[in-house]
Each structure stands twice: as C-alpha cells, then as structure tokens.
Amino acid sequence: MSLSPNQPKSKITPEERQRRATDRLTMIRLRMAIGRELDERGITTPAAVGAALGMPAAEATGLLNRKQWREGAVEQLEAAAARLGVRVPEPASEGWPS
C-alpha cells in the first residue's frame, strides 16, 4: 500500500512518540545486557547466539543489531534476557541531577 503524493502521511501522537522513545531506551539497555552476558559466556558466533537465545541465528543477530524501533522487539529482548538469566536494572525514575 503506497501513499499518493497528495495523500498526507499519518502522524504519530505525542503519546506514541513518547512510548517509542521509552521502548528505544529499554531496547538499548537490554541489548547491552544481553551482549555483555553472551561475551562473558564466550558466545560469539551467530549460530551460538541463536542457540543461546532459542531462535534462528539470523533472527537473533537481527534482534541484537537492529537500530530501528520495531513493534514487539522489547518483548523479544525481554524473553531473550530471561532465557539467559539476565536482570536489567530499571533506570532511575528521576530526571538528571541538578
């Protein structure tokens, strides 16, 4: 389905934009924690990463390297972290120190 030049693009709401920003930060933290755990275990090959995360190698590699926000990625990363026994601390709810 493509948009015609005269058809406006749908805009996301400020709430959706905020949710996506929060998801992006969560994904970064999860990817870092998962990557650190895999490194500590000496798991480096795509096949080994896939086996450790319980998914095909290409899917696991894409999940850990993807740069764009994607629906469902947070849940997949949380499941991967749980499978590895990785606990990711929650960020401080307060803003930057003054």
Side-chain angles (χ1 to χ4, degrees):
M1 178 169 139
S2 63
L3 297 174
S4 68
N6 297 331
Q7 188 177 10
K9 293 181 182 180
S10 62
K11 294 183 179 182
I12 62 172
T13 64
E15 294 79 16
E16 178 66 12
R17 186 176 296 115
Q18 177 62 40
R19 186 181 72 79
R20 288 185 184 191
T22 301
D23 282 356
R24 275 189 211 98
L25 293 175
T26 300
M27 289 188 296
I28 290 167
R29 291 176 38 251
L30 285 164
R31 284 184 178 120
M32 290 178 65
I34 291 168
R36 194 174 314 123
E37 181 66 22
L38 292 171
D39 283 344
E40 287 175 5
R41 294 182 186 190
I43 299 171
T44 57
T45 65
V49 170
L53 300 183
M55 58 182 63
E59 185 179 342
T61 302
L63 182 64
L64 295 176
N65 294 324
R66 190 170 289 118
K67 302 295 183 218
Q68 293 181 323
W69 180 88
R70 185 178 61 86
E71 192 70 45
V74 171
E75 292 78 13
Q76 284 184 308
L77 286 165
E78 288 172 338
R83 183 176 174 99
L84 293 172
V86 173
R87 297 198 64 208
V88 180
E90 290 296 318
S93 60
E94 308 266 331
W96 290 96
S98 301

